[in-house]
């Protein structure tokens, strides 16, 4: 076949391919705009392979450098578009946080309520108990830890809840600490759910001991004003992580018609998506804890008002988020 005939035969598909490359070459533009060209995204791999075959044929037949260079350029650009790292889908991530994650939490409502009971009952019970028996704090902490805790929440401390460290330093520390607790609470569910139960109860007892003891000795004001804000995200996230761990154990124990392996894989995938939302909540909690909760100069009334808004927002988000949207990605399944 003569070169002119070869070019004339394939000119149209080359032009379509080049238009597609122009549309998709910029990752940001490709992410935000739909491809309105003739060549659809699904047809791109097949067209790419055809271009490669045509380049090989053109070289074998000794066509001019203009033809082979054009085909070679299309292949190189097509390779970059096909195999580049996919752009971060911020819109999809935002939709997951606003709608998919709350639906996912509600789809495991039973496990979430059980996790809440396992966490809240010891917390409230120990808090009340230490109002009458404050010496029981030593059953949960050694004297050094008790002394540090008293210093951190001393009403005269310029920075509540810490005895050293700047805001950014503590922000990093809180992130690591919070994420560690969240992952531990979830992953321990692999022990047939028993691990999550133990972690939830032990955390509830420890936090209850701190709340009860400091309230009893007169440091309740600094403590509650410190916790009330970021607690909306942090405490709720711990409960959700515990619920995710419990559903992991529950699916392992009662796989239904599936094999235990299949049930565990499905539960693990759902748990991993829950943990993504939990990680976001703990990140927000760490930010509030580092830059807002620790400020001692803010009046308690302001702290409690802000906390009321945060708690209302978190609960409304989990209760109503995604209820009026079509479940496109099967989050709630």
């Amino acid at each position: 076949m003569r070169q002119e005939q070869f070019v004339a035969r394939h000119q149209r598909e080359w032009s379509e391919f080049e238009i597609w490359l122009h549309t998709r070459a910029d990752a940001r533009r490709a992410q935000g705009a739909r491809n309105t060209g003739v060549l659809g995204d699904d047809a791109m791999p097949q067209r790419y392979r055809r271009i490669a075959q045509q380049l090989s044929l053109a070289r074998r037949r000794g066509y001019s450098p203009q033809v082979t260079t054009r085909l070679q350029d299309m292949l190189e650009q097509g390779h970059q578009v096909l195999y580049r790292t996919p752009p971060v889908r911020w819109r999809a991530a935002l939709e997951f946080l606003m709608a998919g994650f709350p639906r996912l939490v509600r789809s495991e409502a039973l496990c979430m309520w059980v996790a809440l009971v396992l966490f809240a009952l010891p917390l409230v019970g120990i808090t009340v108990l230490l109002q009458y028996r404050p010496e029981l704090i030593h059953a949960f902490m050694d004297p050094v830890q008790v002394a540090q805790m008293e210093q951190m929440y001393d009403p005269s401390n310029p920075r509540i809840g810490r005895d050293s460290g700047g805001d950014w330093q503590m922000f990093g520390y809180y992130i690591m600490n919070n994420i560690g607790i969240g992952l531990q609470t979830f992953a321990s569910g692999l022990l047939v759910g028993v691990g999550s139960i133990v972690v939830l109860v032990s955390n509830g007892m420890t936090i209850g001991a701190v709340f009860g003891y400091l309230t009893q000795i007169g440091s309740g004001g600094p403590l509650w004003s410190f916790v009330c804000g970021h607690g909306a995200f942090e405490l709720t996230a711990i409960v959700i992580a515990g619920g995710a761990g419990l559903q992991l154990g529950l699916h392992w124990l009662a796989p239904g018609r599936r094999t235990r392996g299949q049930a565990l894989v499905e539960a693990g995938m759902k748990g991993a998506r829950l943990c993504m939302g939990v990680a976001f909540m703990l990140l927000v909690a760490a930010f509030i804890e580092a830059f807002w909760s620790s400020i001692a100069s803010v009046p308690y009334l302001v702290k409690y008002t802000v906390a009321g808004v945060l708690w209302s927002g978190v609960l409304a988000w989990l209760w109503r988020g995604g209820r009026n949207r079509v479940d496109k990605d099967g989050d709630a399944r």
Side-chain angles (χ1 to χ4, degrees):
M1 178 182 293
R2 296 168 61 86
Q3 176 175 307
E4 292 76 13
Q5 294 174 309
F6 180 79
V7 173
R9 173 176 293 182
H10 301 296
Q11 180 61 45
R12 180 180 176 183
E13 60 183 296
W14 294 352
S15 298
E16 291 174 353
F17 192 83
E18 287 169 335
I19 292 173
W20 189 94
L21 287 175
H22 178 72
T23 305
R24 290 300 189 231
D26 188 318
R28 291 185 177 180
R29 185 172 54 191
Q31 183 184 7
R34 297 187 59 185
N35 173 33
T36 56
V38 176
L39 184 62
D41 293 347
D42 295 340
M44 168 62 174
Q46 183 182 6
R47 187 63 61 88
Y48 178 80
R49 288 193 293 270
R50 283 178 56 82
I51 298 290
Q53 293 169 354
Q54 290 160 7
L55 174 61
S56 176
L57 195 61
R59 285 174 173 166
R60 193 164 59 246
R61 291 177 177 173
Y63 291 156
S64 67
Q66 288 81 2
V67 174
T68 55
T69 301
R70 181 183 180 185
L71 291 170
Q72 180 67 40
D73 290 343
M74 284 192 284
L75 276 184
E76 291 177 356
Q77 294 176 38
H79 182 275
Q80 292 176 1
V81 175
L82 274 177
Y83 297 103
R84 71 187 173 196
T85 303
V88 178
R89 299 181 177 179
W90 294 109
R91 183 173 180 179
L94 184 61
E95 288 181 350
F96 169 72
L97 288 175
M98 296 308 296
F101 178 64
R103 287 201 303 267
L104 207 56
V105 172
R106 292 196 299 271
S107 73
E108 295 293 340
L110 176 61
C111 292
M112 297 302 164
W113 282 114
V114 172
L116 176 62
V117 171
L118 289 170
F119 180 70
L121 271 185
L123 191 156
V124 175
I126 297 297
T127 299
V128 174
L129 178 62
L130 263 66
Q131 302 312 299
Y132 304 96
R133 299 284 303 279
E135 71 276 8
L136 290 179
I137 187 63
H138 297 292
F140 300 94
M141 297 179 176
D142 59 47
V144 175
Q145 291 175 313
V146 173
Q148 290 176 340
M149 184 175 63
E150 291 176 351
Q151 181 183 358
M152 288 166 59
Y153 295 99
D154 188 325
S156 63
N157 193 340
R159 281 287 181 183
I160 310 172
R162 66 176 74 163
D163 52 8
S164 63
D167 290 346
W168 284 106
Q169 180 183 353
M170 295 307 296
F171 178 48
Y173 170 79
Y174 292 143
I175 289 176
M176 297 301 296
N177 184 62
N178 292 350
I179 297 293
I181 293 174
L183 288 178
Q184 180 189 21
T185 309
F186 166 68
S188 56
L190 285 170
L191 301 174
V192 204
V194 175
S196 293
I197 295 174
V198 171
V199 173
L200 283 167
V201 172
S202 62
N203 273 288
M205 294 176 67
T206 302
I207 296 173
V210 173
F211 283 11
Y213 177 74
L214 290 177
T215 300
Q216 207 279 336
I217 65 171
S219 295
L223 171 69
W224 291 101
S225 67
F226 174 77
V227 174
C228 62
H230 66 268
F233 289 91
E234 184 177 345
L235 300 181
T236 308
I238 291 175
V239 170
I240 294 174
L246 290 179
Q247 66 90 27
L248 201 60
L250 186 62
H251 284 279
W252 190 90
L253 281 173
R257 295 182 178 179
R258 303 163 297 178
T259 65
R260 276 202 165 79
Q262 290 173 333
L264 198 57
V265 168
E266 291 178 12
M269 293 177 67
K270 177 178 277 191
R273 291 173 65 78
L274 282 166
C275 281
M276 290 169 61
V278 166
F280 166 76
M281 296 179 71
L282 292 175
L283 182 65
V284 174
F287 184 84
I288 297 173
E289 187 172 2
F291 296 100
W292 167 256
S293 301
S294 59
I295 302 176
S297 58
V298 177
Y300 291 164
L301 180 60
V302 176
K303 287 279 188 75
Y304 294 143
T305 302
V306 172
V309 173
L310 292 174
W311 275 101
S312 301
V314 169
L315 296 179
W317 167 51
L318 296 176
W319 177 40
R320 299 299 303 175
R323 280 189 183 274
N324 298 324
R325 297 175 65 91
V326 178
D327 188 357
K328 296 179 180 179
D329 55 2
D331 286 333
R333 289 196 293 268

